Amino acid sequence: DNRDSYLNITRRHTKFSFNDQFDTCNSQFSSSRKLNSHNMQLPHLLNADFLWDKMFTGTGIKVAIFDTGFSASDQRIRKVIEAIDWTDEQNSEDTLGHGTFVTGVISSQDEDCLGFAPDADIYIFRVFTNLKVSYTSWFLDAFNYAIHTRINILNLSIGGPDFMDLPFVEKVWEMSANNIVVVSAIGNDGPTYGTLNNPADQLDVIGVGGVDFSDRISSFSSRGMTTWEIPQGYGRVKPDIVAYGQSVLGLRLRSGCRTMSGTSVASPVVTGVIALLASAIPEDKRN
């Protein structure tokens, strides 16, 4: 099924920027790069090995993942420092698989679907229920705790047209004001222009679009200009960057690997790369 399939949630009009096209452990990717799950994985394609060989693997970098949670018993992520449920379900376990996949793209140590920064400190923020529901107040509490714990990088593989949710928008500004690099999926509402999702459309957020393995913009990837600022006289070109977001390999819920597509897949690719690069910078110079 090549249609963009969204996981609709309740936070005003927010939805996961997510397009699930495949679910397999051994997909063969038909592309000019001939990438598949056995002869070349995404970290290898983007030359993560160069830094791995120099012993830079994400060590000392705190990465927060706001998503559907992660299983405490899953040993495929080496350093889950903390997993907190911010919903009303009092359970940090992932039952949907979205959070597990996103976390794996960033930091998996599974040899069949490696992440970019396997030694990064991972902080799991479960902000969606099993019914894919979330509220602004849950995000605001989670944002405050991320600031308190001095998170370095925040991945938001979510998005929606809720730019008028000012408490949320302003809290995102506060995150970047506290030296947190915020990375967010630009949305799956392409190919029409003016379809950018919030918060990826904000100036201080790295908005990530998707490309396929032939380096072509994915048809589902949202694109600018931003529209909600136009009454004040200007729009903004977005996304800021594109990354592989089609048939990307990551962790399947509980065991094994799978491929998924969407800008919510491209976002953790960028987050993982930033975490890896940041770990190569001397600690006293990172801020």
Side-chain angles (χ1 to χ4, degrees):
D1 184 2
N2 291 323
R3 296 172 298 172
D4 295 346
S5 56
Y6 298 123
L7 297 179
N8 294 311
I9 64 172
T10 303
R11 188 183 74 79
R12 292 176 63 88
H13 304 290
T14 303
K15 59 192 172 186
F16 284 122
S17 297
F18 185 71
N19 171 25
D20 182 359
Q21 292 184 331
F22 302 100
D23 184 0
T24 178
C25 293
N26 300 306
S27 293
Q28 295 289 325
F29 304 124
S30 176
S31 76
S32 61
R33 295 181 184 272
K34 300 188 183 302
L35 180 73
N36 63 55
S37 60
H38 293 288
N39 62 22
M40 183 175 286
Q41 297 184 51
L42 201 51
H44 301 313
L45 180 66
L46 297 181
N47 298 320
D49 309 75
F50 179 81
L51 289 177
W52 291 349
D53 291 343
K54 296 180 181 297
M55 306 305 293
F56 298 117
T57 55
T59 301
I61 304 301
K62 295 181 177 180
V63 180
I65 301 166
F66 283 40
D67 218 285
T68 62
F70 189 80
S71 174
S73 62
D74 195 329
Q75 301 299 309
R76 294 173 294 173
I77 301 297
R78 187 172 295 153
K79 292 184 177 180
V80 177
I81 305 301
E82 195 169 20
I84 300 179
D85 175 53
W86 296 92
T87 75
D88 56 5
E89 292 183 334
Q90 299 182 348
N91 178 17
S92 63
E93 296 287 308
D94 181 15
T95 63
L96 300 174
H98 191 269
T100 297
F101 188 93
V102 167
T103 304
V105 172
I106 296 169
S107 194
S108 169
Q109 61 174 336
D110 189 314
E111 292 185 357
D112 292 326
C113 44
L114 291 168
F116 287 88
D119 286 312
D121 295 337
I122 300 299
Y123 290 76
I124 302 297
F125 290 69
R126 184 173 183 264
V127 289
F128 298 103
T129 69
N130 294 330
L131 296 177
K132 309 165 193 141
V133 173
S134 187
Y135 295 97
T136 296
S137 60
W138 296 349
F139 271 90
L140 299 184
D141 288 341
F143 282 143
N144 284 331
Y145 188 71
I147 293 171
H148 173 72
T149 53
R150 299 183 181 276
I151 292 298
N152 300 121
I153 309 166
L154 167 62
N155 185 83
L156 292 167
S157 287
I158 60 162
D162 45 358
F163 52 81
M164 294 300 290
D165 186 359
L166 292 182
F168 182 90
V169 170
E170 291 175 356
K171 185 59 69 171
V172 171
W173 290 340
E174 187 178 342
M175 297 290 284
S176 59
N178 281 272
N179 297 319
I180 298 174
V181 178
V182 182
V183 182
S184 184
I186 202 69
N188 294 342
D189 296 318
T192 308
Y193 283 84
T195 53
L196 303 174
N197 282 207
N198 180 267
D201 62 347
Q202 294 181 222
L203 177 62
D204 50 349
V205 174
I206 300 176
V208 184
V211 295
D212 62 23
F213 287 112
S214 296
D215 296 329
R216 295 176 299 208
I217 298 294
S218 301
S219 61
F220 58 75
S221 185
S222 297
R223 54 210 74 189
M225 308 281 280
T226 57
T227 57
W228 60 281
E229 297 164 315
I230 288 178
Q232 282 72 44
Y234 60 95
R236 183 175 299 124
V237 177
K238 285 276 187 169
D240 300 288
I241 192 171
V242 293
Y244 294 118
Q246 286 189 238
S247 301
V248 171
L249 195 62
L251 296 179
R252 187 200 298 267
L253 188 63
R254 298 184 182 86
S255 65
C257 303
R258 65 183 301 188
T259 55
M260 291 188 180
S261 300
T263 56
S264 67
V265 173
S267 180
V269 170
V270 173
T271 297
V273 169
I274 294 172
L276 179 59
L277 290 172
S279 69
I281 300 172
E283 188 171 356
D284 61 345
K285 297 182 179 179
R286 290 176 187 170
N287 292 325

